[in-house]
């Protein structure tokens, strides 16, 4: 009896943990890309990790946010799968900013109104010395976790692809270093 | 009475080395550069020997000489100076930032290393300073967990005592053996008497629902061992230390509660 009950509880735990399993794989994939974690915020179905990008002339930080939408229970998992919103945000940091940048900020804010992040559109935001490019997508967690090395590779490609696109958007906004 | 000083062929000595022959203009230049002091010795042809420069008439000429005009900075100089002030400001800003997030770099390294060793992250909570991570090896269903608390947030604290985290390392095994669960539960009750664990205090925990028994130990780890300048990380060192803890805790758990079925 104990065996059956504990087996049931264990399966439920693993099912509920899929988003954490994915976050673990994201952290590992980012370390392999030379990005070290410099901030964690994590609770039940929401995880956000900030990564510092080492040895990149453009990018300063990358933020990855995973917000689980479904699949924590056995029934919802069977019906809807394990869906989550994955948001990737890349940040460049300029050593100096001035009022002209604020003007640029209003332009990008206006453009953002017509962009849908979840449809793969990239939004730009200015904040003091930083400029952010952000994109969001709904993913199926099961495509990436508990699939062995192919799942890990698929995740690494997804991250690389999106970070590369965000970086491309940010290049024009990067100013020279203070030196 | 001021001695007659020729315009050339002058010698000055300080700290065991001498300069010369110098013209009067060159001597004044050395003075302007603070390379001559009261104790320096002075000599020129015709003098019977070296004398302290302070006692020679030339001293008056040096003291009365106007300081060299300061170099007027160019526009390039201004920009270079502004740039260096800005750069120094960012250096300080980044130093403070690095000091406050070194625990997060450590947590990321811990996740990457643990996953490389065949475990999967199954639980994570973090408020930025207190982190809880739990991993499971799906092959044998064993688990490890870490509760990490950053103790030295500021640069000053880190310079004084090193960059420290309080860490609880735990190891767990799944069991269907009721005797093993019961034995751990008794240990857990005894663990409850420990109010404030010290390094090396080993405590037990039994999760009757999922059938897990855990053992854990409190420690303080030094971040510099794993995370260096510019967030350079030493995964090999962390692997070694984590392996040592897991191995020892597994042995301890099995020794206390019997071998896994």
């Amino acid at each position: 009896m104990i065996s059956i009950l504990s087996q049931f509880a264990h399966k439920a735990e693993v099912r509920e943990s899929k988003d954490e399993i994915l976050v673990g794989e994201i952290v590992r994939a980012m370390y392999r890309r030379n990005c070290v974690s410099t901030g964690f915020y994590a609770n039940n179905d929401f995880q956000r990790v900030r990564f510092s990008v080492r040895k990149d002339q453009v990018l300063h930080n990358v933020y990855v946010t995973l917000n689980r939408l479904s699949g924590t229970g056995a029934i919802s998992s069977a019906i809807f799968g394990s869906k989550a919103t994955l948001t990737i945000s890349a940040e460049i940091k300029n050593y100096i900013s001035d009022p002209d940048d604020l003007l640029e900020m209003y332009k990008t804010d206006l453009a953002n109104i017509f962009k849908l992040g979840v449809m793969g559109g990239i939004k730009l935001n200015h904040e003091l010395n930083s400029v952010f490019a952000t994109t969001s997508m709904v993913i199926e967690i099961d495509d990436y976790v508990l699939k062995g090395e192919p799942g890990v590779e698929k995740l690494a490609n997804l991250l690389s692809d999106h970070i590369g696109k965000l970086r491309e958007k940010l290049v024009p906004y990067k100013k020279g270093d203070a030196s | 009475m001021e001695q007659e000083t020729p315009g050339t062929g002058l010698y000055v000595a300080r700290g065991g080395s001498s300069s010369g022959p110098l013209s009067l203009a060159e001597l004044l230049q050395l003075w302007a550069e603070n390379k001559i002091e009261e104790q320096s010795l002075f000599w020129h042809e015709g003098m019977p020997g070296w004398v302290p420069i302070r006692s020679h008439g030339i001293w008056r000429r040096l003291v009365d000489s106007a300081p060299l005009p300061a170099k007027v900075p160019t526009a390039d100089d201004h920009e270079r100076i502004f740039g260096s002030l800005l750069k120094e400001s960012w250096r300080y800003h980044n130093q403070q930032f690095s000091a406050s997030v070194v625990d997060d770099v450590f947590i990321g390294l811990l996740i990457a290393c643990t996953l490389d060793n065949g475990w999967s992250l199954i639980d994570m909570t973090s408020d930025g300073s207190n982190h809880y991570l739990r991993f499971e090896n799906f092959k044998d269903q064993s688990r490890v967990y870490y509760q990490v608390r950053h103790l030295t947030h500021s640069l000053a604290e880190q310079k004084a005592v090193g960059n420290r985290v309080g860490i609880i390392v735990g190891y767990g095994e799944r069991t269907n053996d009721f005797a093993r669960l019961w034995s751990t539960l008794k240990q857990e009750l005894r663990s409850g008497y420990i109010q404030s664990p010290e390094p090396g205090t080993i405590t037990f925990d039994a999760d009757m629902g999922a059938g897990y028994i855990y053992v854990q130990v409190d420690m303080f780890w030094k971040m510099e061992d794993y995370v260096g300048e510019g967030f350079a990380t030493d995964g090999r060192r962390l692997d070694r230390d984590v392996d040592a803890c897991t191995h020892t805790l597994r042995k301890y758990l099995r020794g206390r509660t019997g071998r896994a079925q």
Side-chain angles (χ1 to χ4, degrees):
Chain A
M1 188 65 179
I2 286 179
S3 171
I4 295 165
L5 286 175
S6 73
Q7 185 66 29
F8 182 77
H10 183 250
K11 274 192 174 169
E13 270 190 346
V14 172
R15 191 172 52 244
E16 284 167 16
S17 299
K18 279 183 185 171
D19 49 339
E20 280 92 351
I21 297 174
L22 182 61
V23 168
E25 293 296 352
I26 289 171
V27 171
R28 177 162 61 160
M30 292 298 278
Y31 262 74
R32 287 177 181 173
R33 276 184 59 99
N34 221 353
C35 300
V36 296
S37 55
T38 53
F40 284 91
Y41 179 79
N43 60 29
N44 282 348
D45 290 328
F46 181 89
Q47 285 91 19
R48 186 168 205 239
V49 189
R50 176 181 57 200
F51 297 94
S52 181
V53 185
R54 298 177 66 208
K55 295 174 186 164
D56 187 302
Q57 296 298 311
V58 178
L59 293 183
H60 185 65
N61 285 322
V62 170
Y63 301 79
V64 180
T65 308
L66 190 73
N67 196 359
R68 191 165 189 181
L69 303 171
S70 68
T72 48
I75 297 169
S76 74
S77 174
I79 298 173
F80 304 112
S82 299
K83 298 270 191 289
T85 309
L86 179 69
T87 304
I88 306 172
S89 192
E91 178 189 8
I92 56 164
K93 179 85 77 182
N94 286 317
Y95 286 94
I96 195 162
S97 60
D98 62 38
D100 279 354
D101 296 318
L102 284 176
L103 199 69
E104 203 56 44
M105 183 184 77
Y106 289 120
K107 280 192 224 163
T108 50
D109 276 357
L110 203 65
N112 283 341
I113 295 171
F114 304 103
K115 286 179 185 166
L116 287 173
V118 286
M119 300 295 281
I122 295 175
K123 290 188 171 193
L124 287 172
N125 277 307
H126 290 243
E127 276 180 27
L128 297 173
N129 293 37
S130 295
V131 186
F132 296 88
T134 306
T135 189
S136 289
M137 67 216 81
V138 176
I139 59 162
E140 175 60 56
I141 297 177
D142 290 329
D143 288 349
Y144 305 99
V145 303
L146 307 175
K147 289 269 190 295
E149 206 47 47
V152 173
E153 203 180 316
K154 193 174 175 187
L155 177 67
N157 290 339
L158 177 84
L159 292 170
S160 283
D161 187 31
H162 284 282
I163 292 168
K165 284 177 186 162
L166 296 173
R167 188 182 190 278
E168 215 171 283
K169 280 273 178 194
L170 289 170
V171 167
Y173 298 94
K174 178 70 182 168
K175 296 176 187 173
D177 287 357
S179 54
Chain B
M1 193 181 93
E2 187 175 325
Q3 296 97 322
E4 200 63 38
T5 308
T8 55
L10 310 176
Y11 293 81
V12 67
R14 190 182 70 151
S17 68
S18 65
S19 307
L22 305 165
S23 66
L24 186 58
E26 287 168 333
L27 193 74
L28 288 169
Q29 179 67 32
L30 286 180
W31 168 253
E33 291 168 5
N34 289 322
K35 288 178 180 164
I36 296 174
E37 53 194 23
E38 286 185 44
Q39 292 77 24
S40 300
L41 299 173
F42 179 69
W43 181 80
H44 62 77
E45 209 171 322
M47 283 173 65
W50 291 86
V51 294
I53 198 165
R54 179 80 176 80
S55 65
H56 194 275
I58 193 74
W59 179 252
R60 194 71 256 159
R61 295 284 296 274
L62 296 178
V63 171
D64 290 346
S65 68
L68 293 176
K71 183 177 172 267
V72 179
T74 62
D76 279 353
D77 289 336
H78 284 308
E79 279 159 30
R80 189 179 44 76
I81 291 163
F82 178 75
S84 68
L85 288 170
L86 212 53
K87 201 173 180 181
E88 180 54 29
S89 305
W90 275 106
R91 199 185 67 80
Y92 174 75
H93 176 90
N94 291 339
Q95 234 179 358
Q96 294 289 333
F97 173 75
S98 300
S100 66
V101 300
V102 69
D103 58 321
D104 297 295
V105 181
F106 170 74
I107 290 293
L109 183 66
L110 190 58
I111 292 173
C113 288
T114 312
L115 262 59
D116 279 343
N117 287 322
W119 307 75
S120 292
L121 180 68
I122 58 162
D123 199 4
M124 173 167 73
T125 52
S126 173
D127 63 2
S129 291
N130 298 286
H131 315 271
Y132 176 77
L133 305 169
R134 191 158 45 138
F135 300 87
E136 180 168 331
N137 185 330
F138 291 125
K139 281 184 188 151
D140 63 5
Q141 297 186 331
S142 59
R143 288 179 174 177
V144 286
Y145 61 88
Y146 307 95
Q147 205 169 316
V148 179
R149 189 160 55 96
H150 195 195
L151 301 172
T152 49
H153 292 272
S154 76
L155 202 56
E157 283 175 312
Q158 289 171 17
K159 295 232 176 207
V161 294
N163 202 342
R164 303 279 172 168
V165 291
I167 183 167
I168 297 172
V169 185
Y171 172 80
E173 286 183 350
R174 187 152 178 263
T175 181
N176 295 321
D177 181 352
F178 184 75
R180 229 179 150 213
L181 277 166
W182 180 245
S183 158
T184 312
L185 197 62
K186 283 195 287 184
Q187 293 285 351
E188 184 185 343
L189 289 172
R190 286 180 204 135
S191 300
Y193 290 111
I194 299 167
Q195 293 298 317
S196 49
E198 291 170 344
T201 306
I202 290 174
T203 52
F204 291 82
D205 187 22
D207 174 1
M208 300 297 276
Y212 269 91
I213 52 175
Y214 296 100
V215 60
Q216 63 180 34
V217 64
D218 284 68
M219 286 188 253
F220 295 103
W221 285 9
K222 210 163 88 182
M223 291 297 90
E224 292 91 330
D225 290 345
Y226 316 105
V227 182
E229 192 84 17
F231 298 144
T233 52
D234 188 349
R236 205 171 286 179
R237 172 81 187 260
L238 184 61
D239 258 347
R240 188 200 71 176
D241 294 355
V242 163
D243 264 359
C245 290
T246 312
H247 170 85
T248 311
L249 289 173
R250 184 189 297 121
K251 201 170 168 186
Y252 205 93
L253 184 70
R254 289 177 180 175
R256 272 300 176 94
T257 64
R259 183 128 190 121
Q261 299 299 301

